[in-house]
Amino acid sequence: MKYSRQDYIRFLETEYNNQMEAFGRLINTRALTLKERGEIFVALFLKVDDKGRAIFKVRVSDNMPRKNSFWTASILGEGMDKFKNWENLSWADLREKYQVDYSEVSCVWIGKSDNPNFCLVGIKGLGVEFAKKIEKSSPAVAFGPQDPPVKYLINLIGIANNSANQDVSNILDLNISNDSIWNPTLVDYKQDLNAIINNDLLHQNAIVIQGPPGTGKTYRMAKLTASLLEKDQSVLVTALTNQALREVALKDDLKDFLKQGKVSKSSLTIDDVKEVKGLMPIVENECNATAGNVSLATFYVASEWANTLTEAPFDYVIMDEASQAYLPMMAATMKLGKKIIWVGDQEQLSPIVTMSDELIAENKWWPMVSGFKSICDNLSVPAYMLCDSFRLTRRGADFTGSFYDGKLNSVSENQNEPLNIPYLHKDGGPVLIDLNLPIGEKAPKLAISKIWECADAILSQNPKARIAILSKFKASVKEIQKHVVLNMNKTEIPENVIIETVDRVQGLTVDYCIFFIPNASIQYSLTPDLFNVATSRAIYSTIIVADKHLIGQYMPEDIRKFLLKLYPEDFVEIKGNGANTVSTKDIAVKVVDRIDLSQFERKRWEIKPGIENVYVVDTNIFVKCPDVISKIGKEYSVVIPSTVLEELDKLKLKKSVDQSRLVKAAKNINMAFSNRFSKMEEPDVSLLPDGFDTRNPDCKILSVALKYKKNGANAILLTSDNMLQSRASALGLTTLSLSQFLR
């Protein structure tokens, strides 16, 4: 499959419109309403500390900002720094009419103040000029929703529109196949990666490097950058986040170049200046390719350069965090450098998109979203995988290696768990604490208490231990942060404790990690890329806190195998086709042969060979059989009419319906959507014969099946409703009741 340029533009424009519509609704809401919801807060500036953090005072009665959340900080004039004067003005009104200056910032620190009615927050990312203004006048500053990165999307649209550059076309015109060509050469820590790269780039203009957790991607890239600067080459290092760029700049190999003023960064902030001594600004974010110098620029800035320049300005471009780049951004690097090194990990988190998974799947846009994976799977360039982890213990690497075909080794100096905590494994790696968690709650008190109990046990034995407490959900993170600040007799969240969502910590290394999986929308915590990131941050041990019935949930097979290994005495796995012996506790079982059960399985008479077979599932099926999607199987298409989802939602109000079945059905549907085993379909009542009630839910469901029949598929209506079956049969549709299906 090849995408046309219009396909790329439609994908990018759809994401642009999605972001702008959502942002427009938000900023045009009454500002006081947003303040009540915690989406705006007003804070009094106190000082800039020696770490470059601006310290502000915030009322405890207001909604505290979440640590590591992003905001737009606005200085408002004409008395609008006092929210009591806002009346019915929206956030958009305030910024348009009264904004004096603004800066994109993040909240990185929360603590108690001397006054119990207030707390303190530390803000990073302040523009240098903005910081000077607030230091001069000490005003109250309003913090509101961060502007979406739509300029980035506009730049990528411009790149997709330009077909003149052949190197860009080689990326955008890739033939995307289901058959991956990915077969990287393994590189261990003793091999000279720089020599390998330099040799390949004599004959190629691009190279791919996969770096699993803890394999030293950033260290290797800094070392490569330094070697290129020594050869008087101009280098661009680009990454999604400013933090990733700072980490490159702070590596020892670049210290001398910092002292010489040969390392510059786009969008320089006051904390950049204080954290990275010698870092130079890229003036007005203008491209400054200079021999013997390295430029550090985010994807947002680099995409703008790529969109405006006609010739590649840099000798080399190193893209870090490449797994977080759209495919058009991968192509953009070809306009920026003569030689390209893409560094990422397709088994970790992909770029964030605001549009729904269903919409992406419907339009077959996933290869555009996961640009690095598309390159790895489809582009014939030299490819390498770093196979030695300096972070994980051997036991930890064994678990994480399940996402890397068992090819991940541990060369860490730390192979034993140093703390004496009963539930931690002596060889480090993951452990599971299972609780009886309430269904549907993202921040239950029992879990939050247990999480801090674990963190406190670690800190009591090693107060300097670096701990990450992670969850998929912002709501979970916010409540844990609040619990620590207000209820644990701490003046602030300790500097060595990070409480954050998983998608914000890719690349992070800590001593210990606590990964919380709430018993709510559980399938979102069990996607392989997110689960891999969450469970591979720790040098020593990862504590997974989850519901005791977690293993019974529907989940990808590699995660199930990961979790089953945490129950070595309760579960066994029989591998291979020949006879073998497996044992657990005091029981040994010898497998002497296998029985072919296929002869006893129901023949799927409803399936028609040579065409697409699509199961359209009715509401009553999910009520009686919540896991019907898994019973249908991945080899067949499963469609759920939107009417069915509406009906299932309404059934939550009926006491006569088994609510546990509804919860299970919802989980299974969400999991199927997120893993693209199934999709939602809107009805098309125009396909119904005259006389059919277009408002009738059953008729709407029927119209979905007719839509697929019209397009040449064998639409199989799975329903136990006799009337609906009769109507479907009369219209030439294949119908099947639940009892017939399960027979």
Side-chain angles (χ1 to χ4, degrees):
M1 176 187 70
K2 285 189 178 182
Y3 294 114
S4 70
R5 298 306 174 94
Q6 285 305 310
D7 291 331
Y8 285 104
I9 292 167
R10 194 160 67 87
F11 159 68
L12 293 164
E13 286 181 342
T14 302
E15 178 64 12
Y16 173 92
N17 292 331
N18 251 42
Q19 291 190 20
M20 290 304 293
E21 286 172 14
F23 186 65
R25 288 193 299 271
L26 187 64
I27 64 173
N28 285 301
T29 303
R30 184 169 174 261
L32 287 174
T33 301
L34 294 178
K35 182 177 176 295
E36 289 168 5
R37 289 178 2 200
E39 294 179 272
I40 287 178
F41 69 95
V42 178
L44 182 66
F45 173 75
L46 299 178
K47 64 177 182 178
V48 174
D49 68 11
D50 57 0
K51 296 181 180 179
R53 303 178 303 189
I55 308 300
F56 290 83
K57 185 165 69 172
V58 183
R59 286 190 179 275
V60 173
S61 58
D62 295 339
N63 282 302
M64 291 166 49
R66 181 172 60 88
K67 187 178 177 181
N68 295 325
S69 53
F70 288 84
W71 304 85
T72 296
S74 290
I75 302 173
L76 302 176
E78 300 181 37
M80 291 301 169
D81 56 338
K82 298 177 176 60
F83 64 83
K84 65 182 181 181
N85 296 331
W86 292 357
E87 297 182 339
N88 290 318
L89 293 170
S90 68
W91 178 245
D93 292 332
L94 289 171
R95 291 195 63 188
E96 182 180 349
K97 297 175 182 177
Y98 302 105
Q99 183 171 273
V100 176
D101 199 359
Y102 78 100
S103 180
E104 302 293 339
V105 301
S106 60
C107 173
V108 295
W109 174 82
I110 302 172
K112 290 181 179 178
S113 82
D114 296 335
N115 188 330
N117 296 319
F118 292 87
C119 69
L120 302 178
V121 297
I123 301 295
K124 287 185 74 171
L126 289 175
V128 175
E129 293 303 316
F130 186 95
K132 287 179 181 177
K133 284 182 182 177
I134 62 173
E135 282 185 302
K136 186 177 180 179
S137 58
S138 298
V141 176
F143 294 81
Q146 186 183 39
D147 295 349
V150 291
K151 187 76 179 292
Y152 176 47
L153 297 170
I154 293 170
N155 292 331
L156 296 183
I157 290 171
I159 291 163
N161 259 321
N162 186 350
S163 58
N165 187 299
Q166 187 55 52
D167 291 327
V168 171
S169 296
N170 290 341
I171 305 300
L172 295 182
D173 299 339
L174 265 180
N175 186 19
I176 306 294
S177 171
N178 291 327
D179 299 321
S180 173
I181 65 169
W182 180 247
N183 186 27
T185 301
L186 300 184
V187 177
D188 65 39
Y189 77 100
K190 296 179 181 178
Q191 291 176 269
D192 188 342
L193 184 62
N194 287 0
I196 293 171
I197 292 172
N198 289 327
N199 183 62
D200 280 333
L201 292 181
L202 291 174
H203 315 286
Q204 301 275 346
N205 67 344
I207 190 171
V208 174
I209 300 170
Q210 181 187 18
T215 51
K217 295 188 294 293
T218 304
Y219 166 79
R220 299 257 198 170
M221 292 309 100
K223 199 171 188 68
L224 174 63
T225 301
S227 71
L228 294 172
L229 296 182
E230 287 170 356
K231 297 175 183 177
D232 214 31
Q233 301 294 294
S234 60
V235 182
L236 167 66
V237 177
T238 184
L240 178 66
T241 65
N242 280 299
Q243 183 59 38
L245 297 174
R246 278 198 294 268
E247 287 176 6
V248 172
L250 286 166
K251 296 299 180 185
D252 288 345
D253 287 285
L254 291 178
K255 278 186 177 179
D256 288 342
F257 297 99
L258 277 168
K259 291 176 182 177
Q260 298 167 33
K262 293 184 175 183
V263 183
S264 56
K265 181 181 172 297
S266 65
S267 306
L268 202 66
T269 64
I270 189 166
D271 48 289
D272 286 335
V273 174
K274 297 203 176 193
E275 187 176 342
V276 188
K277 303 296 184 184
L279 191 59
M280 304 297 292
I282 296 178
V283 181
E284 297 183 352
N285 285 344
E286 293 287 337
C287 183
N288 65 342
T290 306
N293 286 253
V294 58
S295 298
L296 309 175
T298 62
F299 290 172
Y300 310 118
V301 174
S303 65
E304 187 165 359
W305 295 347
N307 188 33
T308 55
L309 297 171
T310 55
E311 294 186 4
F314 294 94
D315 296 317
Y316 288 81
V317 172
I318 300 171
M319 175 182 268
D320 199 7
E321 297 186 339
S323 49
Q324 296 181 317
Y326 298 139
L327 190 54
M329 185 62 213
M330 302 292 295
T333 59
M334 307 300 287
K335 288 193 70 179
L336 293 169
K338 301 175 183 68
K339 303 289 183 180
I340 313 298
I341 302 101
W342 293 304
V343 188
D345 183 6
Q346 61 270 46
E347 302 303 329
Q348 297 190 53
L349 289 166
S350 299
I352 295 173
V353 287
T354 60
M355 69 180 91
S356 69
D357 287 356
E358 295 77 34
L359 182 61
I360 296 171
E362 180 183 338
N363 288 281
K364 301 179 179 178
W365 285 340
W366 283 112
M368 294 189 199
V369 176
S370 303
F372 183 71
K373 178 173 171 52
S374 296
I375 291 288
C376 293
D377 289 346
N378 300 281
L379 186 65
S380 182
V381 295
Y384 299 91
M385 173 182 155
L386 308 178
C387 60
D388 290 334
S389 177
F390 296 87
R391 178 191 304 158
L392 304 170
T393 66
R394 279 187 288 272
R395 182 173 179 271
D398 179 53
F399 275 84
T400 299
S402 62
F403 298 102
Y404 301 93
D405 297 325
K407 296 175 181 176
L408 190 60
N409 308 310
S410 170
V411 292
S412 171
E413 297 176 352
N414 308 291
Q415 293 296 338
N416 300 308
E417 171 54 57
L419 303 184
N420 184 25
I421 298 175
Y423 46 79
L424 298 183
H425 196 282
K426 65 181 178 60
D427 298 322
V431 296
L432 177 66
I433 295 178
D434 51 10
L435 306 171
N436 191 12
L437 297 180
I439 296 173
E441 291 188 29
K442 292 179 179 175
K445 291 181 179 178
L446 172 64
I448 291 175
S449 178
K450 175 58 70 174
I451 288 166
W452 185 251
E453 180 186 313
C454 293
D456 200 42
I458 295 167
L459 293 171
S460 64
Q461 294 193 29
N462 181 3
K464 295 182 179 180
R466 295 165 297 165
I467 303 173
I469 302 173
L470 308 177
S471 178
K472 162 64 182 174
F473 303 105
K474 293 178 182 178
S476 306
V477 169
K478 189 171 183 177
E479 286 303 309
I480 297 169
Q481 290 181 355
K482 187 177 178 180
H483 182 83
V484 174
V485 172
L486 300 180
N487 300 320
M488 299 307 301
N489 297 317
K490 301 286 181 182
T491 58
E492 62 181 81
I493 297 176
E495 286 280 340
N496 53 320
V497 177
I498 296 168
I499 308 171
E500 192 47 277
T501 56
V502 180
D503 58 13
R504 298 280 290 279
V505 299
Q506 189 158 296
L508 177 72
T509 298
V510 292
D511 297 314
Y512 296 90
C513 178
I514 303 169
F515 177 35
F516 173 45
I517 303 176
N519 198 7
S521 302
I522 203 163
Q523 72 281 353
Y524 295 114
S525 299
L526 297 178
T527 59
D529 53 0
L530 181 137
F531 190 91
N532 181 25
V533 170
T535 56
S536 61
R537 300 302 95 201
I539 293 173
Y540 298 111
S541 295
T542 296
I543 304 167
I544 301 171
V545 178
D547 183 67
K548 65 180 182 181
H549 301 298
L550 176 66
I551 201 66
Q553 298 290 333
Y554 185 78
M555 66 185 70
E557 198 57 33
D558 44 5
I559 295 180
R560 184 174 300 283
K561 288 179 179 179
F562 184 109
L563 292 172
L564 284 174
K565 288 168 72 173
L566 297 174
Y567 299 92
E569 297 183 342
D570 300 309
F571 296 90
V572 296
E573 183 181 4
I574 301 173
K575 298 180 180 179
N577 296 317
N580 52 54
T581 302
V582 294
S583 63
T584 175
K585 291 184 178 178
D586 300 323
I587 301 172
V589 179
K590 186 175 184 180
V591 183
V592 294
D593 206 351
R594 298 172 184 268
I595 301 173
D596 181 10
L597 298 177
S598 61
Q599 58 186 307
F600 304 106
E601 295 176 353
R602 179 183 69 85
K603 302 296 182 186
R604 294 208 177 194
W605 57 264
E606 73 271 17
I607 298 297
K608 295 181 181 180
I611 62 172
E612 185 184 14
N613 293 276
V614 180
Y615 286 87
V616 181
V617 187
D618 193 8
T619 313
N620 51 64
I621 301 296
F622 285 111
V623 173
K624 296 176 181 177
C625 184
D627 59 345
V628 66
I629 296 175
S630 63
K631 293 182 183 297
I632 292 171
K634 298 178 187 178
E635 63 268 36
Y636 302 108
S637 300
V638 180
V639 169
I640 305 172
S642 60
T643 309
V644 169
L645 298 178
E646 292 171 8
E647 289 187 324
L648 287 170
D649 194 52
K650 290 176 182 176
L651 288 174
K652 292 190 295 187
L653 303 174
K654 292 191 176 183
K655 294 182 179 179
S656 58
V657 178
D658 187 339
Q659 295 299 306
S660 65
R661 286 177 175 264
L662 292 181
V663 170
K664 189 175 180 180
K667 289 179 180 178
N668 290 333
I669 291 170
N670 284 333
M671 175 61 82
F673 283 170
S674 63
N675 288 287
R676 301 182 288 284
F677 304 149
S678 176
K679 68 175 183 177
M680 183 187 75
E681 190 74 50
E682 294 292 338
D684 183 357
V685 294
S686 67
L687 299 174
L688 294 168
D690 291 341
F692 278 58
D693 185 357
T694 57
R695 295 170 298 178
N696 182 290
D698 285 351
C699 291
K700 289 181 179 179
I701 294 168
L702 186 62
S703 78
V704 171
L706 289 171
K707 187 188 298 188
Y708 279 87
K709 183 174 184 287
K710 180 185 176 184
N711 292 330
N714 174 34
I716 306 161
L717 183 59
L718 190 52
T719 179
S720 294
D721 186 315
N722 291 330
M723 182 56 71
L724 185 52
Q725 279 193 348
S726 299
R727 286 173 165 169
S729 297
L731 294 172
L733 292 166
T734 305
T735 66
L736 201 63
S737 69
L738 181 61
S739 59
Q740 290 172 321
F741 175 76
L742 296 176
R743 192 176 297 160

